Amino acid sequence: ILRSEDEGAHWTEVRYDAEVAEPLLGIWNAGGKRVMAFGSFGKFYQSEDDGRTWQAQPLEVDSAHLNGMDGGSDGRRMLVGEQGLVLRTTDSGQHWQPLPAFYSGSLFGIVRLSANNWVTYGMRGHVFVSHDFGDSWTQIKLGNQLPLYGHVLLPDHSGLVIVGAGSSVVRLD
């Protein structure tokens, strides 16, 4: 994990495990001092000091890769990964609850639209929406069979754009 204190002009390595050498796949924070990093084989780390030091937090994920995370300053967060893995927390990541499986493929990203409205996406063009903080999920049929890898919320909150393989672009309003 690299950290910059001058808007990216210079970087300092703050965490590295040469023995394991397994990749981290993402990093996330809610704008405060708590930062979370996640990745392959269930790797999950938290920092309480803006990323200066890191502590491992074991999660019960059966060594699944953790691919995406989102949430808000209210403590509601979700983490997605392989084999349809979805975890959620209401206490800023102190305790994580696995949600019942609704999809058996990999999920690569999750987006919080509001406290209760969430979108997750992944393999074979699958997109799912929840309006109850993950208690239930509904698939959105796109007609796209290519994996979806990344997203951006539009600046005026008018929608969401998801991108993927083969120059796939999906816009959800």
Side-chain angles (χ1 to χ4, degrees):
I1 298 174
L2 303 177
R3 186 175 190 285
S4 174
E5 295 199 28
D6 57 8
E7 299 178 349
H10 301 90
W11 293 87
T12 303
E13 183 179 286
V14 293
R15 185 173 197 307
Y16 177 69
D17 188 344
E19 290 181 26
V20 176
E22 294 168 345
L24 293 173
L25 302 171
I27 195 161
W28 186 87
N29 87 353
K33 293 201 176 279
R34 176 175 287 167
V35 185
M36 300 173 187
F38 49 88
S40 62
F41 305 106
K43 301 290 181 285
F44 192 80
Y45 301 96
Q46 290 199 59
S47 170
E48 300 293 336
D49 59 5
D50 239 2
R52 289 176 180 81
T53 60
W54 294 87
Q55 298 77 38
Q57 179 181 355
L59 297 177
E60 298 294 325
V61 296
D62 197 26
S63 295
H65 295 338
L66 304 172
N67 298 323
M69 183 175 172
D70 203 359
S73 58
D74 63 355
R76 287 180 166 218
R77 299 179 185 149
M78 284 201 219
L79 184 61
V80 297
E82 287 185 308
Q83 302 166 1
L85 175 70
V86 180
L87 301 173
R88 75 176 169 195
T89 180
T90 58
D91 60 8
S92 301
Q94 295 301 312
H95 302 92
W96 292 90
Q97 169 194 19
L99 298 181
F102 57 89
Y103 173 59
S104 61
S106 291
L107 296 168
F108 295 130
I110 187 146
V111 186
R112 175 187 164 134
L113 302 174
S114 70
N116 287 321
N117 296 309
W118 297 73
V119 175
T120 187
Y121 55 87
M123 289 298 295
R124 296 180 295 280
H126 284 91
V127 175
F128 301 91
V129 176
S130 174
H131 298 292
D132 52 16
F133 188 40
D135 286 335
S136 63
W137 295 87
T138 302
Q139 183 176 356
I140 297 175
K141 300 281 186 182
L142 300 178
N144 174 19
Q145 298 294 312
L146 298 172
L148 300 169
Y149 294 122
H151 70 272
V152 65
L153 285 168
L154 297 175
D156 58 1
H157 300 285
S158 65
L160 167 71
V161 175
I162 304 171
V163 297
S167 299
S168 297
V169 178
V170 176
R171 179 179 171 149
L172 301 176
D173 295 326

